[in-house]
């Protein structure tokens, strides 16, 4: 799938692991990196039904308008 560490984190992100998200973004990792399907971490979190992850990524500045190769957002 071409997922990055951020994509994997997004699928299981919770309030307990939100600090890991801050470490990645503070090191310069873009929240808008896409995997091979064109999905950002935000879309990965949403497709995993991870509401806490979606909220954390939005707080961190993820763009909710991003669209994957299938037109999902």
């Amino acid at each position: 799938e071409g997922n990055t560490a951020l994509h994997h984190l997004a699928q299981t992100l919770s309030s307990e692991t939100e600090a890991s998200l801050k470490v990645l973004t503070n090191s310069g990792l873009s929240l808008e990196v896409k995997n091979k399907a064109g999905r950002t971490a935000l879309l990965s979190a949403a497709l995993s039904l991870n509401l806490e992850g979606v909220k954390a990524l939005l707080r961190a500045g993820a763009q909710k308008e991003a669209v994957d190769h299938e037109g999902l957002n």
Side-chain angles (χ1 to χ4, degrees):
E1 291 182 12
N3 288 336
T4 66
L6 183 58
H7 287 89
H8 290 291
L9 178 63
Q11 293 171 359
T12 59
L13 192 60
S14 67
S15 57
E16 291 81 27
T17 58
E18 195 168 349
S20 299
L21 174 62
K22 290 180 184 178
V23 169
L24 291 173
T25 57
N26 287 343
S27 69
L29 182 65
S30 170
L31 292 174
E32 306 313 311
V33 172
K34 294 185 175 189
N35 64 12
K36 289 181 182 178
R39 296 182 179 142
T40 62
L42 180 61
L43 187 51
S44 291
L47 291 172
S48 297
L49 304 177
N50 183 358
L51 183 58
E52 284 189 60
V54 168
K55 289 179 180 180
L57 288 160
L58 289 171
R59 280 194 299 272
Q63 299 297 311
K64 59 185 175 186
E65 297 84 11
V67 178
D68 73 2
H69 297 318
E70 296 176 6
L72 296 175
N73 72 345

